Amino acid sequence: MERPISRRDFLDGVALSTATTLVPGPGAGRPGDDVAVDEEPGHGRPPEWQGLQGDTADAMAVPHALRDRRFWERAGAPEATGEEYELVVVGAGISGLAAAYRWWRENPEARILVLDNHDDIGGRSRRNEFPVAGLVGYGGPPALPSSPSPETAELLADLGIELGTAEGTAEGAPGAGWAGREPYRELGMGEAVFCDRESFGTDRLVAFRPGWIDELPLADAAKSELSALFGNPPDWWPAASVAEKRARLARISYSGFLREICRVHPEVVRFCHTMPVHDRCRTSDMISALDAFALADDHSFPGLAGLGIPRPGGHGHVQLFPDGNHGLVRALVGRMIPEAGGRPDGGAVPARIDYDRLDLPGNRVRVRLASPVVLVRNDGPAETATSATVGYFDGETVRTLRAGAVILACWHAMIPYLVPDLPQHRRSALLRTVRAPMLYATVQVRDWRAWHAAGIDRVRFTGAYWSDVRLPAVPQAGERAAVDPGEPATVHLVRLAVKPDADPIEGAVAGRRELAEVPYEHLEFTVRDQLARLLGPTGFDPARDIQAITINRWAHGVPLGDGLPGGKPPFASPHDDPIEGDWRFGRIVIAGSDRAPEGGADAAIAVAVRAVDELTPARSR
């Protein structure tokens, strides 16, 4: 009875079932048993861990116990560490690190601590490494908008990172060339759609070339309508003004637009269902027709081009680094903690992070991982407080420390459980926050000859388990670009785990529950199955060609924000919430991408900068 409480003691039923399926058991008898799976999480650097990563059972155990009001029943009395910091940031994702960086730039001598419940830094901007082949990949959304917010543009410039354009980064910029897919085009490879048996009763790969619609396994009526929508759609509201057309598009989902305005064949709606998954982490019934209009191109979101609405600019995305937005994480850490980032010179981005140096006592800025925050409280009334107390669980004991200010760059739905004296109207607004669950898989393959033979480098599936499957933005061989399809490569797969045919919020909640019960073996099977179905005809053998798999499960993935059709989003937003953008509570300020109308790294950075600015007038008190 006197033994210390451990994080495992707080695992609830769902988390425990997840924990027991992190790694396939011995003797599973599946193909390719030589696939590397990290059977002991914690061995080596976090980016090298394989198997199931992301929102693991260990990362979620304490948050779930707080949610279910079981944590404090067993946690015991907090113990003070005696540590004091000018700023404590809750959350080591892009928003939390950007907030810490903003504060540090204004006061380089400040002592700053960043806490996170995960075992890796960067939140969903996670890096996946495959050391044997020297390959890296990304475990979450990998890109930034080509026309970012002013706050993001300023941060990138300060870090010496040149954003470039969606067609390619500027010459000489860190990671130059990772935004485009020109090497594949030079090899005659392109994009395609895979009409799968889950949607249309048969599997058929259709490359985007002249006449591609005729090759689809759709009814003739559906193909005829699809050709008209892509080729020469009408103006559906000829008497309406541009402003009214935009308003109408904003009030309806893209799938609703197809059904109710275009009145298309059901197979057309089914064909378009997964179009926005990679860029917006949503399906077509979760994205407004207005957002679809902004994303439309020659092979996606047909039917909108005839409305006579000016095309918006700056809606492209740029992947600057082979490990996606983790490159930005490396840059931020390299500046704030040079010892952990390899002491970059002249704005260069460090190649990797030294995790052993993130939390050294001598650091002005420290990052403490696997340390879920359980308590944030103003020291005295919020109106007059000059400091705050922060408590975190170190795996055995709740430790408390003193902070001059606290920035909550974490999931908003968790904040009411961390800040006990938060006013009720704010608690209610934050609890309405919903995030859609996501899966990102990174697979090391022996080579990419089968892709080259098929003439494809990225594919959208219409209804299979994984919606988007692609080679990296530039073929990679260690630290250089690969031009030989015979060299090893990474393959990236994305799944939006939202229950279909449901309200987006209800679908996200149901999808998260379902995802928590899916064992790793099934996830691995789906990866192998889809790659075999896609590339088997051109010689791909998953048992022979797959060498390692990392699956990043984000139970609380992308925020459901203003992109939802119908107007009012389901969470606290400066645009519509009763608290009307008042995100400060004494010495505590809320940041995080949930705060922005649309989530993502760009929004996370923008709100981080605003959070620091909101604290600035009080910093001298």
Side-chain angles (χ1 to χ4, degrees):
M1 295 296 293
E2 299 300 320
R3 70 176 178 84
I5 299 297
S6 72
R7 186 175 287 106
R8 288 274 165 173
D9 290 318
F10 294 111
L11 290 173
D12 60 20
V14 171
L16 184 57
S17 70
T18 303
T20 59
T21 60
L22 286 178
V23 181
R30 64 186 187 279
D33 284 331
D34 59 336
V35 168
V37 175
D38 197 320
E39 298 188 1
E40 296 182 2
H43 176 71
R45 299 168 57 255
E48 298 174 356
W49 300 347
Q50 290 161 24
L52 195 59
Q53 304 300 327
D55 287 338
T56 62
D58 279 344
M60 301 305 298
V62 171
H64 284 168
L66 284 168
R67 176 201 64 191
D68 298 338
R69 306 189 186 283
R70 295 181 291 105
F71 179 82
W72 292 107
E73 295 175 0
R74 306 190 62 183
E79 297 182 8
T81 64
E83 294 177 273
E84 294 188 3
Y85 298 89
E86 280 88 341
L87 175 68
V88 170
V89 180
V90 180
I94 290 288
S95 191
L97 294 174
Y101 182 82
R102 176 78 168 191
W103 193 287
W104 173 80
R105 284 294 284 168
E106 294 181 1
N107 184 4
E109 298 303 312
R111 284 177 50 80
I112 301 170
L113 175 66
V114 183
L115 296 161
D116 199 283
N117 61 310
H118 292 88
D119 49 27
D120 200 0
I121 190 170
R124 288 181 297 127
S125 298
R126 191 177 179 112
R127 174 182 172 104
N128 295 154
E129 293 183 8
F130 301 95
V132 174
L135 300 176
V136 300
Y138 51 85
L144 289 170
S146 55
S147 295
S149 66
E151 293 88 352
T152 298
E154 179 183 354
L155 175 65
L156 293 175
D158 196 59
L159 292 171
I161 298 174
E162 211 169 328
L163 187 61
T165 68
E167 285 69 44
T169 53
E171 185 68 28
W178 283 99
R181 306 185 74 85
E182 289 80 5
Y184 300 115
R185 303 297 171 262
E186 294 173 359
L187 292 171
M189 302 166 68
E191 300 180 23
V193 61
F194 191 92
C195 294
D196 45 60
R197 57 179 178 252
E198 290 85 347
S199 298
F200 299 105
T202 187
D203 285 346
R204 185 175 301 176
L205 175 65
V206 178
F208 292 138
R209 57 194 173 201
W212 64 272
I213 293 178
D214 293 334
E215 301 178 34
L216 299 174
L218 277 64
D220 289 341
K223 289 191 285 189
S224 177
E225 291 175 357
L226 201 56
S227 294
L229 291 175
F230 271 115
N232 187 27
D235 185 343
W236 305 100
W237 303 299
S241 66
V242 168
E244 177 57 25
K245 290 176 182 178
R246 292 177 61 87
R248 292 181 184 182
L249 292 176
R251 290 194 295 265
I252 192 170
S253 69
Y254 178 66
S255 60
F257 170 80
L258 292 175
R259 284 193 302 265
E260 300 170 25
I261 306 303
C262 306
R263 299 184 181 277
V264 297
H265 193 285
E267 288 188 353
V268 173
V269 180
R270 199 179 312 153
F271 176 79
C272 297
H273 182 68
T274 59
M275 283 181 174
V277 166
H278 187 270
D279 290 329
R280 288 296 175 90
C281 301
R282 296 173 186 170
T283 51
S284 62
D285 53 356
M286 298 174 63
I287 187 173
S288 72
L290 184 62
D291 274 3
F293 175 75
L295 295 170
D297 59 26
D298 291 342
H299 306 117
S300 63
F301 304 110
L304 297 160
L307 289 170
I309 302 176
R311 292 285 301 171
H315 281 263
H317 284 75
V318 181
Q319 182 182 337
L320 291 174
F321 304 95
D323 53 356
N325 288 333
H326 191 85
L328 181 56
V329 173
R330 290 184 281 120
L332 290 166
V333 171
R335 285 294 188 90
M336 295 187 291
I337 316 174
E339 294 80 6
R343 296 183 180 277
D345 297 322
V349 179
R352 58 175 51 194
I353 292 171
D354 186 341
Y355 286 77
D356 293 333
R357 295 180 178 273
L358 288 175
D359 192 22
L360 296 179
N363 295 354
R364 304 301 300 182
V365 180
R366 303 172 69 172
V367 178
R368 192 166 297 167
L369 300 174
S371 300
V373 170
V374 297
L375 172 68
V376 180
R377 182 180 60 222
N378 285 299
D379 295 329
E383 297 77 13
T384 59
T386 59
S387 64
T389 295
V390 178
Y392 69 95
F393 186 63
D394 68 358
E396 295 184 352
T397 305
V398 175
R399 310 285 183 182
T400 61
L401 48 88
R402 186 68 59 84
V406 181
I407 293 178
L408 300 175
C410 54
W411 306 324
H412 283 194
M414 278 304 303
I415 292 175
Y417 303 103
L418 307 182
V419 187
D421 52 349
L422 198 66
Q424 184 57 45
H425 73 283
R426 299 190 185 190
R427 296 172 61 87
S428 299
L430 294 168
L431 286 170
R432 293 200 303 272
T433 306
V434 177
R435 284 174 164 248
M438 299 286 299
L439 284 171
Y440 278 79
T442 308
V443 181
Q444 177 185 316
V445 294
R446 192 179 306 273
D447 57 58
W448 43 289
R449 289 190 179 98
W451 291 82
H452 183 228
I456 57 174
D457 62 281
R458 57 177 290 187
V459 179
R460 177 179 70 87
F461 281 74
T462 55
Y465 195 83
W466 300 91
S467 300
D468 189 275
V469 181
R470 62 180 62 195
L471 290 169
V474 168
Q476 175 199 5
E479 299 299 323
R480 62 183 176 81
V483 294
D484 181 4
E487 296 184 273
T490 56
V491 175
H492 297 280
L493 301 90
V494 181
R495 169 174 170 76
L496 177 65
V498 174
K499 200 77 171 175
D501 303 320
D503 171 84
I505 298 174
E506 295 174 357
V509 173
R512 180 159 46 251
R513 290 172 179 163
E514 181 180 284
L515 188 61
E517 299 174 357
V518 177
Y520 176 86
E521 291 93 337
H522 179 70
L523 298 177
E524 181 183 330
F525 169 79
T526 60
V527 169
R528 293 174 174 277
D529 173 64
Q530 280 189 236
L531 290 179
R533 290 160 60 185
L534 174 66
L535 300 167
T538 51
F540 184 84
D541 180 352
R544 178 195 65 207
D545 295 329
I546 293 179
Q547 298 179 313
I549 299 174
T550 300
I551 296 179
N552 304 272
R553 178 177 57 194
W554 303 112
H556 300 267
V558 60
L560 295 179
D562 280 349
L564 288 174
K568 187 177 177 65
F571 67 92
S573 164
H575 298 284
D576 76 320
D577 195 78
I579 64 177
E580 203 60 44
D582 181 10
W583 300 96
R584 182 177 163 196
F585 178 58
R587 303 304 301 148
I588 304 165
V589 171
I590 298 172
S593 58
D594 284 334
R595 174 174 161 175
E598 182 174 325
D602 183 40
I605 294 167
V607 298
V609 171
R610 295 170 200 163
V612 173
D613 292 346
E614 286 160 12
L615 279 167
T616 300
R619 285 168 62 182
S620 61
R621 288 195 311 190

